[in-house]
Amino acid sequence: MTVQDVDRVSFAEEWERWHRAHEQALADPHGFLAITSLRWLSPDPTRFEDAPGAWSSGPEGVVVELADGEELTIDGTAVHGRYVFGAIAERASLYAGYDDAVIEIAKRGGHDIVRPRHPGNPLRTDFTRTPAYAPDPHWVRPGRYLPFDEPRAITVGAVAEGLEHVYDAPGQVEFELDGETFRLTAFNGKRPGALMALLTDATSGVTTYAANRSLQIDAPDENGRVTLDFNRATNLPCAYTDLATCPLPPTENRLPVAIEAGEKIPLERGGRP
């Protein structure tokens, strides 16, 4: 099917439905816009103003020591006193309830962290929408999946200074744009077999967020064919808040062309409507 074959009205309506659902998830009462602080844990128990208890990280993993009258809810059960969360896997998160808030306990770049999420955080309550390019079928590009013989561990930087992330890359996706061929290193996506690419391009820092955007790619078919819909290139949480640890794209994913599709710089970062 060519761009000329696409029903542009239906195409735009489908994109609007998708983007509306994406924004609703972003603005969830306990989503990234609700984060009020990013706390890097140490062996010394430390109290924070936006979370109950004294938090530490040591041989037992993450531990919280709740004072009299303090309570967390974990898996529907109220806990008091000293509670051991244990070792947390890289990029994993656990969640504990506290009044109308949620406390995220996680590991990022080898460091244990705590990120309280309060529904009343102004970043969330003031959020309206994210500007984006008008959806255009031109930016739906056929591609080809090129699997590696074995998944490769790829180390990338992070928006948090001094932090690094390591992702398994199963392969690359190749696509053409205006007569040129490009390849993106792909990481594992949200669903089994699906892929995800982090990228920047010539619009980055101009009309789109400078550090990164993310593109979800459905699983390749039996012939390795994939579709890259750049209309659905989205911002990562770091585009909205400094309390994120988002990864940066690998060098080969910094495209020299302008991908004038997908989400733009958020209004919260000075983006234009």
Side-chain angles (χ1 to χ4, degrees):
M1 182 173 65
T2 66
V3 170
Q4 290 74 22
D5 296 326
V6 173
D7 179 341
R8 288 180 175 269
V9 174
S10 297
F11 183 84
E13 289 175 345
E14 183 180 352
W15 181 90
E16 289 287 353
R17 286 192 293 271
W18 164 81
H19 198 234
R20 188 161 49 247
H22 174 74
E23 300 240 282
Q24 288 173 348
L26 176 68
D28 182 87
H30 297 129
F32 265 96
L33 300 184
I35 293 176
T36 52
S37 66
L38 168 59
R39 311 293 189 173
W40 302 88
L41 302 184
S42 74
D44 299 320
T46 305
R47 297 189 67 88
F48 310 122
E49 62 183 10
D50 51 355
W55 297 80
S56 62
S57 173
E60 294 180 282
V62 175
V63 175
V64 63
E65 299 174 17
L66 299 165
D68 290 344
E70 291 184 325
E71 177 181 287
L72 289 173
T73 302
I74 300 172
D75 295 331
T77 301
V79 299
H80 307 86
R82 187 174 189 270
Y83 185 85
V84 179
F85 289 92
I88 299 174
E90 182 64 32
R91 289 194 295 281
S93 292
L94 305 175
Y95 297 93
Y98 162 56
D99 291 338
D100 67 344
V102 162
I103 312 300
E104 179 191 14
I105 307 97
K107 186 182 291 291
R108 297 294 183 269
H111 303 274
D112 288 323
I113 64 172
V114 162
R115 283 191 292 207
R117 301 179 179 220
H118 291 260
N121 188 35
L123 183 63
R124 175 185 173 270
T125 57
D126 294 344
F127 176 74
T128 55
R129 64 186 183 88
T130 301
Y133 284 99
D136 186 342
H138 169 75
W139 295 105
V140 181
R141 312 304 303 177
R144 186 163 64 102
Y145 176 54
L146 305 172
F148 297 139
D149 292 337
E150 296 288 341
R152 299 177 185 176
I154 305 292
T155 300
V156 297
V159 294
E161 186 176 357
L163 197 68
E164 290 184 332
H165 295 282
V166 180
Y167 289 88
D168 285 337
Q172 294 183 318
V173 290
E174 182 180 83
F175 67 99
E176 290 187 2
L177 182 62
D178 297 333
E180 293 188 70
T181 300
F182 302 96
R183 287 185 181 181
L184 294 170
T185 294
F187 302 131
N188 293 315
K190 295 180 179 179
R191 299 180 299 279
L195 305 167
M196 183 273 289
L198 300 171
L199 65 124
T200 58
D201 62 274
T203 70
S204 301
V206 182
T207 56
T208 63
Y209 184 60
N212 49 30
R213 287 193 292 167
S214 173
L215 183 65
Q216 299 293 327
I217 304 168
D218 287 342
D221 69 11
E222 62 275 11
N223 296 312
R225 291 176 297 202
V226 294
T227 298
L228 294 82
D229 186 352
F230 289 103
N231 296 288
R232 302 192 180 195
T234 57
N235 292 320
L236 275 70
C238 54
Y240 303 88
T241 174
D242 293 335
L243 305 177
T245 62
C246 302
L248 300 176
T251 301
E252 63 273 18
N253 287 17
R254 297 171 186 176
L255 300 174
V257 294
I259 305 293
E260 296 177 323
E263 290 189 328
K264 296 182 178 181
I265 298 170
L267 302 176
E268 293 79 2
R269 297 288 196 182
R272 297 181 179 182

